[in-house]
């Protein structure tokens, strides 16, 4: 028995942390396999949302928040409280991951430490790449797939024509703007969870204020995104 589980007289808090770690591990493996490895599976919206949720939101937001509530053993704790907190964490986590994906595409390599097109170049499971697959023509997707195969085979940097082609797709399909709109919706949902469940958080003012501060931070980061992509 894990010591922490013994002290709180329940394995519930440990269970959700372990579940989060398991789901994150599976999602990170799928992320490494990438676009070409997952094939048609990645084209399904629900599958993509599940991967993105497991990759960041569940492990980084849901599991620690719910485990903390269970460990605190809040008097009068209800299933409704956990449900509300899980809903907030999924939305906030999705917004956080979306912002990270956008930042990789818009910020200078000096700030991020990697090429702005690296996620697309490697076929990583990011929000902009999913939107690209949803919007681009079959011919364009065939060209992208060929770029991915070529880079994997030779482990090489993007050739100038390939870079120009990918940048053109980013602008043509407004991938940054579209991603930002999705992030905005997630932030709104996270904000509404807090505002619509005031009674649940009435006795936990510190938690409620903490969630509100985090929401405000997400909105500030989103509002600072550049209008154009690159």
């Amino acid at each position: 028995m894990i010591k922490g589980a013994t002290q709180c007289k329940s394995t519930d808090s440990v269970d959700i942390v372990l579940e989060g770690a398991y789901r994150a591990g599976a999602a990170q493996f799928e992320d490494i396999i990438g676009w070409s490895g997952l094939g048609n599976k990645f084209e399904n919206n629900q599958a993509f949302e599940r991967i993105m949720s497991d990759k960041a939101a569940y492990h980084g937001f849901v599991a620690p928040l719910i485990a903390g509530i269970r460990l605190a053993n809040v008097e009068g704790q209800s299933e409704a409280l956990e449900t509300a907190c899980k809903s907030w964490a999924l939305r906030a986590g999705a917004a956080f991951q979306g912002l990270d994906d956008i930042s990789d595409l818009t910020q200078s390599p000096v700030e991020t430490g990697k090429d702005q097109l690296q996620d697309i170049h490697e076929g990583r499971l990011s929000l902009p790449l999913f939107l690209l697959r949803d919007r681009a023509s079959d011919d364009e997707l065939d060209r992208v797939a060929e770029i991915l195969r070529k880079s994997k085979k030779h482990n090489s940097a993007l050739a100038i024509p390939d870079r120009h082609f990918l940048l053109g797709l980013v602008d043509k399909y407004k991938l940054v703007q579209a991603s930002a709109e999705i992030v905005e919706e997630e932030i709104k949902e996270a904000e509404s969870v807090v505002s619509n469940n005031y009674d649940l958080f009435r006795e936990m003012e510190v938690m409620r204020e903490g969630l509100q501060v985090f929401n405000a931070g997400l909105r500030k980061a989103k509002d600072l995104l550049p209008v154009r992509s690159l």
Side-chain angles (χ1 to χ4, degrees):
M1 177 71 70
I2 298 175
K3 184 178 180 181
T6 305
Q7 290 177 339
C8 69
K9 299 180 180 179
S10 171
T11 60
D12 288 350
S13 56
V14 177
D15 287 344
I16 195 167
V17 172
L18 292 176
E19 180 188 357
Y22 168 78
R23 292 172 64 163
Q28 289 294 341
F29 177 74
E30 291 173 311
D31 188 36
I32 292 171
I33 292 175
W35 172 355
S36 56
L38 291 177
N40 292 335
K41 182 179 180 182
F42 187 38
E43 295 174 1
N44 181 284
N45 284 18
Q46 291 181 336
F48 172 76
E49 290 172 1
R50 191 267 307 163
I51 292 171
M52 297 304 289
S53 172
D54 289 352
K55 181 180 171 183
Y58 202 93
H59 173 64
F61 290 78
V62 174
L65 180 58
I66 301 303
I69 291 172
R70 293 175 181 176
L71 283 170
N73 195 24
V74 179
E75 186 176 352
Q77 175 184 328
S78 66
E79 184 177 341
L81 175 62
E82 282 200 12
T83 299
C85 288
K86 181 178 181 180
S87 179
W88 174 86
L90 287 171
R91 297 297 190 174
F96 184 86
Q97 181 62 49
L99 286 169
D100 184 64
D101 289 341
I102 297 170
S103 295
D104 287 342
L105 195 56
T106 59
Q107 290 186 348
S108 165
V110 175
E111 297 174 311
T112 64
K114 65 180 186 180
D115 190 301
Q116 291 165 303
L117 291 172
Q118 184 171 324
D119 284 348
I120 294 179
H121 180 210
E122 295 179 351
R124 303 299 287 269
L125 306 187
S126 66
L127 179 56
L129 181 55
F130 178 74
L131 292 173
L132 175 61
R133 290 198 69 169
D134 191 49
R135 298 179 177 200
S137 69
D138 289 341
D139 287 343
E140 289 169 332
L141 292 177
D142 287 344
R143 171 80 184 275
V144 173
E146 178 57 32
I147 292 172
L148 298 185
R149 284 193 294 270
K150 183 169 59 176
S151 64
K152 271 193 172 182
K153 181 178 180 180
H154 301 289
N155 193 26
S156 57
L158 277 171
I160 292 177
D162 292 339
R163 174 176 290 276
H164 179 74
F165 175 74
L166 293 177
L167 289 175
L169 293 181
V170 170
D171 282 339
K172 178 180 179 179
Y173 294 108
K174 296 179 169 54
L175 298 186
V176 172
Q177 296 91 326
S179 297
E181 289 171 4
I182 292 175
V183 167
E184 172 67 20
E185 290 303 313
E186 297 292 352
I187 294 173
K188 285 181 178 178
E189 290 294 334
E191 291 171 336
S192 68
V193 169
V194 180
S195 61
N196 293 339
N197 291 280
Y198 182 83
D199 289 342
L200 282 176
F201 295 111
R202 182 175 297 173
E203 303 301 323
M204 293 173 288
E205 185 176 350
V206 173
M207 175 186 285
R208 176 171 55 81
E209 290 180 352
L211 300 186
Q212 289 174 327
V213 168
F214 196 89
N215 288 341
L218 290 173
R219 179 160 297 286
K220 182 177 180 181
K222 184 263 174 184
D223 291 341
L224 290 174
L225 290 173
V227 177
R228 282 182 53 80
S229 54
L230 300 169

